[in-house]
């Protein structure tokens, strides 16, 4: 496994370095990230983005961003905009090299005509369903399409009429004439063009025939002078076809893209297919593509992930040729490490319980020093107001303090962080017998949270001054799915039955320290003892909303 992009090698780097050594492509390295704008980008895409932009940077080349927008039906400008935004946010720059496969439609059409003229493509009268039904199988050949017998002139005429809109959807296709008995099924006269009387979000009504992904992808790379076309493993079996197309169209002296495949990223407890992510959005199981439970880049951003932590994650998982599932705990580890360095510590009480200090003067407030980040002294200190009435976490008090419970309990003394030692003297209950208030005394000689006489306490808890704390809503997240591999779980037909019904918990009566007033959406904090949190854009002028990014430690039962 890789740990550092800058120093370690991988098989893709080996290939590129070998090409450079041989002086291929005039010593240039040009890569691209080619998303189809039919959904939001996810953490798997981030792996590919970091890889492609990272390699271009390492070898002094460039990386293009190309929208692979050949399918008019599912694509949308909303998706294009989100992709541009997400790649930028991750910290990558394509300069002027933003491209759209739809800009190549005319060129692709001309290449299709060239294939017809070479006798290597023909118009078929089969429907797409008939084409797949006659494709054959792994051990038996497909059937020859009657269209195969058409002459060049007839094919040119029919293809022109397909473009002109003379035929309804699905009635004709253009197929490559390769080999219906080829062992690789992708070589059995693949469809190059299909008829779709459908407006495209960029080319409008200009076209009613659209190239198949396979006929567009490799040629788009060729048009852009991509030297290394890096893609995921499922395209390995398509490589001979891409090469076949290039053999027919490539001009001598021009860069010919070399395709290299790597294993796609799968992450535990989530799904990564855009179709499924869209389903979660459309059925409203999540609140949108940027719901903080989603593995999308926009979801991770909203959750409080930093670009640095995602890039670090991509470096650590490295690239390999074999599929495997990466534990989401590694992603969480990366963000924890990053936020530990940069996030200021603040105090929040998620489930408040009132504390009254009997020997503290009424109406008095004092300001105590609190360290902003023990990992980084340059982040300084702030003042925390302390007064007679405080709030602590309900969880930090127990009437029966058995075993290893070292927090507040009747007769017990604990440290209130940055403040004093307090001893619990009793509780106040409401009519139903529920504890509504804890009574305490404090030791004035322990200011700052340290005793002069060397007296030790076992527990330290956080608190807020009742009068000064401000209200907040806090959203806690758990895994989106209950299974490690929701798409690949034995005896489960519908992955949606594995959705975790408790993946979101909203706490709407939380308190945070007053220094957070006006905190901007997207700002990250460590709430002392509770984890890393990020201000959500649902916050208003008088009500802050926070998302928990991650707990302080690898959760599994620890507090
Ligand atoms: P779908 O989910 O619809 O199959 P896709 O994930 O293939 O779509 P694209 O927009 O075609 O989405 O992907 C753009 C690029 O990102 C491709 O080069 C693809 O190889 C890469 N990519 C997509 N998913 C992953 C993943 N999980 N891990 C690594 N790379 C990925
Ligand atoms: Mg794809």
């Amino acid at each position: 496994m890789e740990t550092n992009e800058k120093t370690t090698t991988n098989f893709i780097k080996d290939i590129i370095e070998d090409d450079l050594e041989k002086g291929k492509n005039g010593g240039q390295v040009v890569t691209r990230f080619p998303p189809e704008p039919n959904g939001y980008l996810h953490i798997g895409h981030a792996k590919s983005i970091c890889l492609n932009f990272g390699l271009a940077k390492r070898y002094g080349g460039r990386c293009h961003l190309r929208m692979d927008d050949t399918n008019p039906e599912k694509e949308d400008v909303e998706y294009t905009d989100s992709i541009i935004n997400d790649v930028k946010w991750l910290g990558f720059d394509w300069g002027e090299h933003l491209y759209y496969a739809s800009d190549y439609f005319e060129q692709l059409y001309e290449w299709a005509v060239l294939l017809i003229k070479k006798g290597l493509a023909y118009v078929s009268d089969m429907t797409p369903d008939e084409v797949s039904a006659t494709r054959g199988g792994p051990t038996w050949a497909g059937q020859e399409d009657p269209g195969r017998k058409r002459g060049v002139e007839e094919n040119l005429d029919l293809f022109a009429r397909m473009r002109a809109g003379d035929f309804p959807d699905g009635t004709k296709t253009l197929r490559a004439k390769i080999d219906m008995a080829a062992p690789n099924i992708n070589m059995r006269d693949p469809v190059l063009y299909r008829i779709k009387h459908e407006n495209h979000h960029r080319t409008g009504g200009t076209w009613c025939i659209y190239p198949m992904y396979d006929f567009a992808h490799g040629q788009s790379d060729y048009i852009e002078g991509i030297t290394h076309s890096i893609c995921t493993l499922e395209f390995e079996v398509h490589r001979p076809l891409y090469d076949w197309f290039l053999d027919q169209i490539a001009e001598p002296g021009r860069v010919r893209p070399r395709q290299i495949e790597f294993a796609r990223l799968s992450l535990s407890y989530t799904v990564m297919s855009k179709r499924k992510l869209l389903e979660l959005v459309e059925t409203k199981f999540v609140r949108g593509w940027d719901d903080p439970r989603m593995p999308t880049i926009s979801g991770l951003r909203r959750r409080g992930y930093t670009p640095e932590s995602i890039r670090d994650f991509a470096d650590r998982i490295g690239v390999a040729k074999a599929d495997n599932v990466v534990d989401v705990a590694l992603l969480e580890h990366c963000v924890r490490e990053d936020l530990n360095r940069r996030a200021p510590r603040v105090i929040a009480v998620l489930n408040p319980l009132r504390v009254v200090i009997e020997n503290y003067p009424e109406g008095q407030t004092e300001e105590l020093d609190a360290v902003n980040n023990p990992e980084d002294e340059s982040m300084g200190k702030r003042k925390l107001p302390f007064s007679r009435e405080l709030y602590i976490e309900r969880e930090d008090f127990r009437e029966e303090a058995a075993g290893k419970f070292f927090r507040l309990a009747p007769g017990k003394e604990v440290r209130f962080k940055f403040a004093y030692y307090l001893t619990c003297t009793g509780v106040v209950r409401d009519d139903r017998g529920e504890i509504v208030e804890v009574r305490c005394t404090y030791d004035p000689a322990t200011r700052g949270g340290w005793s002069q006489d060397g007296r030790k306490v076992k527990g330290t808890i956080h608190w807020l001054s009742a009068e000064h704390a401000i209200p907040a809503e806090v959203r806690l997240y758990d895994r989106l799915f209950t299974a490690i591999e929701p798409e690949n779980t034995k005896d489960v037909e519908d992955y949606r039955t594995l959705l975790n019904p408790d993946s979101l918990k909203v706490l709407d009566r939380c308190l945070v320290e007053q220094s957070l007033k006006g905190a901007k959406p997207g700002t990250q904090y460590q709430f002392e003892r509770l984890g890393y949190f990020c201000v959500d854009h649902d916050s208003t002028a008088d009500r802050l909303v926070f998302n928990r990014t991650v707990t302080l430690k690898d959760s599994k039962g620890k507090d």
Side-chain angles (χ1 to χ4, degrees):
M1 185 188 277
E2 283 215 351
T3 50
N4 191 329
E5 164 73 16
K6 287 150 215 90
T7 54
T8 52
T9 57
N10 64 46
F11 75 96
I12 300 183
K13 288 175 187 167
D14 291 345
I15 292 174
I16 294 179
E17 280 167 23
D18 194 47
D19 283 348
L20 287 173
E21 223 157 82
K22 290 186 184 132
K24 264 183 85 178
N25 309 314
Q28 275 220 80
V29 173
V30 185
T31 57
R32 83 288 179 261
F33 173 65
E36 189 185 340
N38 61 352
Y40 280 59
L41 298 180
H42 53 58
I43 183 75
H45 293 116
K47 171 177 179 176
S48 173
I49 293 166
C50 292
L51 180 62
N52 279 294
F53 281 92
L55 289 167
K57 189 166 176 202
R58 182 185 174 102
Y59 297 106
R62 61 174 198 267
C63 181
H64 298 181
L65 175 60
R66 179 174 71 240
M67 302 298 161
D68 251 334
D69 57 352
T70 51
N71 186 351
E73 281 161 342
K74 297 180 186 155
E75 294 162 5
D76 205 308
V77 278
E78 178 197 342
Y79 297 138
T80 303
D81 292 348
S82 76
I83 290 168
I84 288 175
N85 188 31
D86 287 350
V87 180
K88 247 188 226 163
W89 177 79
L90 275 175
F92 298 106
D93 183 9
W94 51 89
E96 65 229 39
H97 300 285
L98 171 63
Y99 300 107
Y100 294 85
S102 55
D103 286 344
Y104 310 143
F105 281 169
E106 191 61 46
Q107 172 69 75
L108 293 168
Y109 179 83
E110 280 167 26
W111 278 329
V113 169
L114 179 71
L115 289 187
I116 295 175
K117 285 182 178 160
K118 287 186 169 189
L120 295 173
Y122 60 91
V123 172
S124 158
D125 299 321
M126 285 187 177
T127 64
D129 282 349
E130 287 165 341
V131 169
S132 24
T134 52
R135 198 73 9 125
T139 54
W140 65 99
Q143 297 157 37
E144 302 230 324
D145 186 318
R148 256 183 163 255
K149 296 202 176 67
R150 285 197 163 114
V152 171
E153 288 313 312
E154 189 188 355
N155 280 319
L156 285 174
D157 174 60
L158 284 173
F159 190 48
R161 289 176 58 200
M162 278 170 65
R163 176 180 184 166
D166 287 0
F167 309 111
D169 284 9
T171 55
K172 288 193 171 19
T173 60
L174 183 73
R175 296 182 76 173
K177 194 174 190 172
I178 308 179
D179 179 3
M180 285 310 289
N184 181 341
I185 233 164
N186 293 292
M187 302 300 277
R188 295 184 187 170
D189 291 13
V191 172
L192 310 183
Y193 270 87
R194 64 241 200 270
I195 302 172
K196 278 191 185 193
H197 290 268
E198 191 89 48
N199 269 359
H200 184 280
H201 75 283
R202 291 192 86 245
T203 58
T206 311
W207 295 90
C208 62
I209 54 171
Y210 289 95
M212 300 300 287
Y213 180 85
D214 275 353
F215 190 63
H217 189 75
Q219 286 96 307
S220 299
D221 284 345
Y222 175 68
I223 291 170
E224 292 177 20
I226 303 300
T227 57
H228 298 88
S229 302
I230 298 159
C231 62
T232 40
L233 279 179
E234 70 273 24
F235 292 104
E236 193 166 18
V237 287
H238 297 241
R239 177 153 34 99
L241 178 59
Y242 298 165
D243 281 336
W244 188 87
F245 289 139
L246 288 179
D247 288 343
Q248 315 314 324
I249 63 162
E251 291 156 23
R254 267 184 72 169
V255 168
R256 238 185 105 123
R258 172 171 185 176
Q259 178 169 306
I260 308 166
E261 305 86 10
F262 70 98
R264 63 171 49 227
L265 167 69
S266 303
L267 199 61
S268 60
Y269 298 103
T270 194
V271 293
M272 214 80 98
S273 125
K274 281 190 269 187
R275 184 180 61 77
K276 288 178 185 148
L277 295 175
L278 176 64
E279 230 162 48
L280 296 178
V281 172
E282 284 181 338
T283 57
K284 298 206 161 46
F285 185 86
V286 295
R287 295 178 176 187
W289 284 98
D290 70 344
D291 187 298
R293 288 168 290 180
M294 292 280 269
T296 51
I297 295 176
S298 49
L300 291 168
R301 173 168 62 236
R302 189 168 176 187
R303 175 114 170 213
Y305 275 77
T306 57
E308 290 82 355
S309 63
I310 295 176
R311 296 201 302 260
D312 180 33
F313 172 72
D315 281 355
R316 286 179 196 237
I317 56 176
V319 287
K321 269 276 187 194
D323 283 317
N324 71 330
V325 179
V326 174
D327 191 343
V328 65
L330 179 62
L331 181 62
E332 293 173 344
H333 173 78
C334 292
V335 75
R336 215 176 261 131
E337 224 177 57
D338 188 35
L339 291 177
N340 182 39
R341 279 192 294 267
R342 64 169 84 218
R345 276 58 171 163
V346 295
I347 293 180
V349 175
L350 302 189
N351 194 6
L353 175 63
R354 177 182 292 268
V355 169
V356 176
I357 310 171
E358 292 168 332
N359 60 340
Y360 195 88
E362 275 185 57
Q364 179 176 310
T365 298
E366 66 185 295
E367 295 205 307
L368 298 164
D369 283 331
V371 179
N372 287 335
N373 188 345
E375 302 285 322
D376 182 355
E377 269 185 33
S378 73
M379 288 170 75
K381 291 180 178 174
R382 69 188 185 287
K383 297 286 183 195
L384 270 184
F386 184 85
S387 59
R388 184 179 154 90
E389 292 192 10
L390 309 174
Y391 281 107
I392 61 168
E393 292 296 344
R394 194 163 276 275
E395 250 184 44
D396 283 338
F397 175 78
R398 264 192 221 164
E399 257 194 307
E400 314 277 332
K404 287 207 160 85
F405 187 81
F406 298 125
R407 291 165 278 170
L408 201 59
K412 290 261 161 103
E413 185 171 49
V414 299
R415 174 188 295 111
F416 277 42
K417 194 160 187 181
F418 307 126
Y420 293 99
Y421 283 13
L422 271 80
T423 305
C424 173
T425 54
V427 297
V428 177
R429 294 170 192 281
D430 66 8
D431 302 343
R432 287 170 307 167
E434 208 181 311
I435 296 171
V436 289
E437 191 175 295
V438 175
R439 309 290 291 187
C440 289
T441 56
Y442 86 117
D443 177 359
T446 55
R447 196 170 196 270
W450 305 103
S451 83
Q452 313 289 319
D453 60 12
R455 191 165 91 247
K456 294 228 163 50
V457 286
K458 279 198 167 151
T460 300
I461 64 174
H462 64 275
W463 52 273
L464 284 170
S465 163
E467 182 193 338
H468 302 90
I470 56 176
E473 173 181 321
V474 172
R475 299 172 183 167
L476 303 179
Y477 301 100
D478 198 353
R479 310 276 189 243
L480 189 51
F481 289 90
T482 54
I484 295 178
E485 294 183 72
E487 293 168 287
N488 201 7
T489 298
K490 227 178 138 221
D491 300 327
V492 172
E493 266 177 33
D494 187 347
Y495 74 100
R496 284 171 297 189
T497 59
L498 296 168
L499 278 163
N500 177 6
D502 302 315
S503 56
L504 168 64
K505 195 166 160 196
V506 178
L507 305 175
D508 56 4
R509 298 173 63 187
C510 309
L511 296 168
V512 295
E513 65 176 68
Q514 60 180 11
S515 71
L516 291 186
K517 202 169 166 47
K520 299 227 163 13
T523 320
Q524 289 106 340
Y525 297 97
Q526 185 195 100
F527 288 178
E528 296 262 5
R529 301 177 63 225
L530 299 172
Y532 293 97
F533 293 74
C534 177
V535 183
D536 191 79
H537 55 60
D538 283 347
S539 299
T540 59
D542 36 42
R543 186 178 175 78
L544 285 166
V545 178
F546 292 89
N547 297 309
R548 179 154 72 189
T549 311
V550 68
T551 51
L552 283 184
K553 292 180 203 145
D554 198 348
S555 54
K556 301 187 190 83
K558 293 192 186 160
D559 65 335

